[in-house]
Amino acid sequence: GGGPMSREEKQKLGNQVLEMFDHAYGNYMEHAYPADELMPLTCRGRVRGQEPSRGDVDDALGKFSLTLIDSLDTLVVLNKTKEFEEAVRKVLRDVNLDNDVVVSVFETNIRVLGGLLGGHSLAIMLKEKGEHMQWYNDELLQMAKQLGYKLLPAFNTTSGLPYPRINLKFGIRKPEARTGTETDTCTACAGTLILEFAALSRFTGATIFEEYARKALDFLWEKRQRSSNLVGVTINIHTGDWVRKDSGVGAGIDSYYEYLLKAYVLLGDDSFLERFNTHYDAIMRYISQPPLLLDVHIHKPMLNARTWMDALLAFFPGLQVLKGDIRPAIETHEMLYQVIKKHNFLPEAFTTDFRVHWAQHPLRPEFAESTYFLYKATGDPYYLEVGKTLIENLNKYARVPCGFAAMKDVRTGSHEDRMDSFFLAEMFKYLYLLFADKEDIIFDIEDYIFTTEAHLLPLWLSTTNQSISKKNTTSEYTELDDSNFDWTCPNTQILFPNDPLYAQSIREPLKNVVDKSCPRGISRVEESFRSGAKPPLRARDFMATNPEHLEILKKMGVSLIHLKDGRVQLIQHAIQAASSVDAEDGLRFMQEMIELSSQQQKEQQLPPRAVQIVSHPFFGRVVLTAGPAQFGLDLSKHKETRGFVASSKPYNGCSELTNPEAVMGKIALIQRGQCMFAEKARNIQNAGAIGGIVIDDNEGSSSDTAPLFQMAGDGKDTDDIKIPMLFLFSKEGSIILDAIREYEEVEVLLSDKAKDRAAILKGKMIPSYIINSNPEMENEEQPSSENDSQNQSAEQIISISQAVDLVDQESPEESSLNSYPESSSPADSDDAASLSPSEQTSNPTEDHETTSLDGECTDLDDQLQEQSETEEDSNPNVSWGKKVQPIDSILADWNEDIEAFEMMEKDEL
């Protein structure tokens, strides 16, 4: 928007980034160091083994002061050379790399090895300049080498692909290593080593590191699916078989592609560019469906593997800029920016029609990275405005008194007690560079390449210690059409004149893609069908009462069985399809059905609620994730309840309160246990409380590690309970209890979505950075439940739901009972998905068509919201989590069927 940004405003924003970095780094150093990470809500360090385990997410922590090492080169980029010098001394003095801890090889490589090498690269640069670091004698490099040797045993496999985890002290093989039994790793995990390992070899002259990293990359290249030239997400490290055969550019694969292109740039080896170009051609052919990037099956790349995208693919526009393919970069980036404008942050995953799929956001930097590269490429001031929005949102929604907290749920605005090291390593680096002029940075950033963790490696390494002969493997590539490829680094001057209007013309048609989008199927399908043929039936359009639809199902080999209890069961036999294309459609239809079910089942779970601390010194900056109750005031219908908190006596709230005067007109705090939730609610209501917060009695429980649940009623009529009741796990509860100890008067806001700070702070004197511009929060859709641990390698991403839920679209006149299928039961050994009518009567005037014929959109979100509310009201005792039978058996058959189907017409490797 608008004209160019003035130098003053750019400088002001650059300074704001510096202030934010100080807030994050200062709090880490003050409250967390030497721990690996800061927990910004509880204001202490996260020490592995002392906090409840978060599964794979914790594999990044190795008791090696991770955040400090990850932040080293950021300090220099932000011009904080004194702090850098101090930080390096601390690392050399305090950090121990020899702990008995099992860590992720991938995370340790990109964050710790990369951090040490980036620190070393800038230390020698500063030393050469002659002012700082004169005492420095390659000490960080020696540490990096020590760490490199600790990671090497992971490569002791026949394939040369590394084990995903290693014990820093005991390696792989020893019994006390507690690792070495894994069979699978993700493609990114094995393919994101070459930059750090080659740099280590080039800096030290020890060639072994680069050799091992190359061997892993060579193996992945050999194992690509030869007919599509795509790679899967997960691979068996012993056999090289693909374990997960879906392919995209997000979680699990992302940085493999990035490192092929950057390995060419850093090492000057043509074979890496050839490989990258081959993959890139396949990505643009199958996965890129502008502005979307959608996962496909590697053996059947016309078959979409998923109806949602994950946040990690936000790095891809930045990589496309590096390649010189600017148009699709602008398109994808613009689509992502609109999702951000809708939710303030990019949700961890979102559907093709831009609804939230997983609601958390761990302050990921990939979008900021792409924004920086697009600005460098186009010079379009629009990207400065994008950066400004990112800064405002971070300050408005993620900033807490003790740092910046990840979002637990972008829809309620609630926080998670984590601030990952990549936030300091990458986010501030890219945001600062976006607004900095050349003279604001003490060295030439163009002389360095960014690793995937934004660590800086000098480009002069390409001519140092080149012990490895460059093979020219072009002969293998005869089948490729060379005209697609530019075998050199793009010359930015020729490729895109620095013309902002060019970028604007590409963005323009995408302006309303998020807000105006009808829930959509996937455009790919139309292409793959001979012109004139009708596109195949989409799961979301399917109606069990439509004879034409039943015909199509039959053609796809899907049969429909009416069960005695009124449910409908779908079964697919690929062998009975009219043709292989039809069988493929059937497969996709069944998969969409399961996908749809998981989506809609999630949307029917009650969303989390927010407890926001609004009194001094929090001012609404801390938002705790709370579980709702199935009784009492429904916060989604009534604005919010605000009041001071007070502990009830007895603390369990199971008998008449002995301190009614203390809780009168306040929000009562009660402990979980010893009686029913409803009983507690009645006791505090009788004492005059205006709301209640139940705090878990299970020491150490936290919404970071336990799934939220709703407090159920006691089976009796609970209409007499009029006050809102929320549930907090013990960790979140203790944040409030600690606040009471420290500040006595603590005021909170109970709501379904955190309120804007400006609204909370009318008339109070507070620091300006807490209130920025405040666009009105728009009303957003009915949230879905969390998918618990999502980590970068995302190996366990797909958890197909427990229910198949379809909106059975009858015409409104026909019937007032819409069938919302709700549980599925295993059939024989084929895919099965069952649908059943529910107890709920829907409003007969409500049209459940997702897309009406004239192309207008009906808002599916509102319908689901209404549907969800109707069910809650009519049946307060339903606990959504337990209502459905698990379908593991279906899932197993399902996978088997896919395998069999792929084997049937397998393109032989």
Side-chain angles (χ1 to χ4, degrees), residues 147-156 162 166 172 197 208-209 212-213:
L147 181 60
Y149 279 119
K150 286 187 165 301
L151 294 178
L152 282 184
F155 292 82
N156 188 2
I166 194 163
I172 290 282
F197 274 47
I208 185 166
F209 302 108
Y212 273 146

Side-chain angles (χ1 to χ4, degrees), residues 297-361:
H297 287 290
I298 55 177
H299 294 87
K300 297 258 173 282
M302 297 314 256
L303 192 64
N304 281 105
R306 227 184 255 147
T307 54
W308 44 272
M309 293 170 278
D310 68 75
L312 286 165
L313 60 75
F315 90 101
F316 197 66
L319 188 64
Q320 289 179 307
V321 169
L322 188 61
K323 162 137 193 13
D325 193 2
I326 203 85
R327 183 187 191 102
I330 292 170
E331 292 173 334
T332 297
H333 179 276
E334 180 59 20
M335 176 269 295
L336 293 169
Y337 185 43
Q338 291 188 36
V339 175
I340 288 172
K341 285 202 281 202
K342 184 169 175 183
H343 299 291
N344 305 318
F345 297 99
L346 205 52
E348 222 24 7
F350 50 93
T351 62
T352 48
D353 45 0
F354 310 112
R355 291 178 302 163
V356 172
H357 187 74
W358 297 325
Q360 64 282 45
H361 168 75

Side-chain angles (χ1 to χ4, degrees), residues 594 798-800 887-896:
I594 289 184
I798 236 168
S799 55
I800 289 184
I887 53 163
D888 298 342
S889 53
I890 290 195
L891 198 43
D893 299 337
W894 171 242
N895 285 328
E896 234 166 71

